[in-house]
Amino acid sequence: MNQTGVSVTTAEEESKETLQSILAALSDGRNFKLEAGAGAGKTHSLVDTLRHILINRRRFLPRQGQRVACITYTNVARNEIIRRTDGSPHIFAETIHGFLWEIISPFRKSLLHEIPHLSGWDRILEGQVSLEACDISYDLGFRGIHENTVRLHHDDIPALAIRLSSTRSFGTWYPTGSPSFLWMNIRTLPRDWPRS
């Protein structure tokens, strides 16, 4: 209590209370949402939760090959989660773009069909008869077609996922043994991204 009689909690106390709330939600099989500003300890709470799941893996990840998916906005956060969970094979930490690419990349034919509908491709595709025989790759470089390979840009990945999600159910995207939990630490999602 401070001098005016108001109860004051420390960041550490709030962090412990938050973690207890998260663990209670997990135990009850409920979803949870953790929102906080930069530097408030979201990654710390996430890592503590992941450690709890790993310690109790048989309960939380009962299927063979099942992993926890941690989806983050930055490579820095992804790398921090991997480092702080000792690179556990039971944790799949990735950026939203990396996660989406993992899901959509097996659908080469559908991706190639959707590319002409994406912003920024009309000039690149001028004179291109078909993409059907092309391979497809994703990197952070420039979009284009090089040596019969369509190279996607960072901005193409969410747009393609949105377009494919309107034609496929999420359940058919991800194989059996898919992640049990999704944590999203995303500043903003595209307006037309499906909410669930």
Side-chain angles (χ1 to χ4, degrees):
M1 222 175 264
N2 68 12
Q3 295 175 341
T4 61
V6 176
S7 180
V8 177
T9 61
T10 65
E12 186 175 339
E13 289 169 336
E14 285 184 29
S15 177
K16 286 178 184 177
E17 287 174 22
T18 298
L19 181 60
Q20 291 309 311
S21 295
I22 292 170
L23 296 181
L26 285 177
S27 292
D28 295 344
R30 294 181 286 117
N31 294 326
F32 65 89
K33 180 179 181 179
L34 175 60
E35 289 184 285
K42 293 181 301 294
T43 302
H44 181 77
S45 295
L46 172 62
V47 169
D48 284 349
T49 303
L50 292 171
R51 287 181 179 149
H52 177 79
I53 290 169
L54 290 172
I55 289 168
N56 299 284
R57 193 171 71 238
R58 287 191 178 148
R59 176 176 178 209
F60 292 109
L61 302 172
R63 294 189 309 260
Q64 183 71 22
Q66 197 171 16
R67 299 182 289 170
V68 178
C70 298
I71 305 170
T72 184
Y73 191 76
T74 66
N75 288 321
V76 171
R78 180 202 62 200
N79 294 342
E80 184 67 10
I81 290 165
I82 292 168
R83 186 184 69 76
R84 289 170 62 182
T85 57
D86 299 321
S88 171
H90 304 288
I91 306 297
F92 173 76
E94 191 53 83
T95 63
I96 184 67
H97 292 80
F99 179 74
L100 291 174
W101 180 243
E102 172 142 330
I103 292 171
I104 67 175
S105 62
F107 301 100
R108 180 189 149 278
K109 186 176 179 178
S110 296
L111 291 169
L112 292 171
H113 174 75
E114 294 298 334
I115 287 171
H117 305 287
L118 298 180
S119 175
W121 279 91
D122 42 353
R123 189 176 54 88
I124 295 167
L125 295 175
E126 279 180 11
Q128 186 77 29
V129 176
S130 172
L131 297 177
E132 201 171 299
C134 292
D135 290 324
I136 192 165
S137 72
Y138 162 57
D139 59 38
L140 299 177
F142 296 102
R143 64 177 53 100
I145 302 172
H146 306 283
E147 298 178 8
N148 215 33
T149 298
V150 174
R151 296 181 188 249
L152 300 173
H153 183 268
H154 190 69
D155 295 341
D156 296 327
I157 302 305
L160 284 166
I162 289 166
R163 293 190 66 87
L164 277 138
S165 71
S166 68
T167 61
R168 298 183 178 276
S169 70
F170 182 77
T172 64
W173 282 15
Y174 221 88
T176 306
S178 62
S180 286
F181 311 97
L182 300 177
W183 277 274
M184 298 188 82
N185 181 9
I186 299 172
R187 294 179 188 148
T188 57
L189 286 173
R191 225 174 327 135
D192 46 358
W193 182 252
R195 308 283 181 190
S196 58

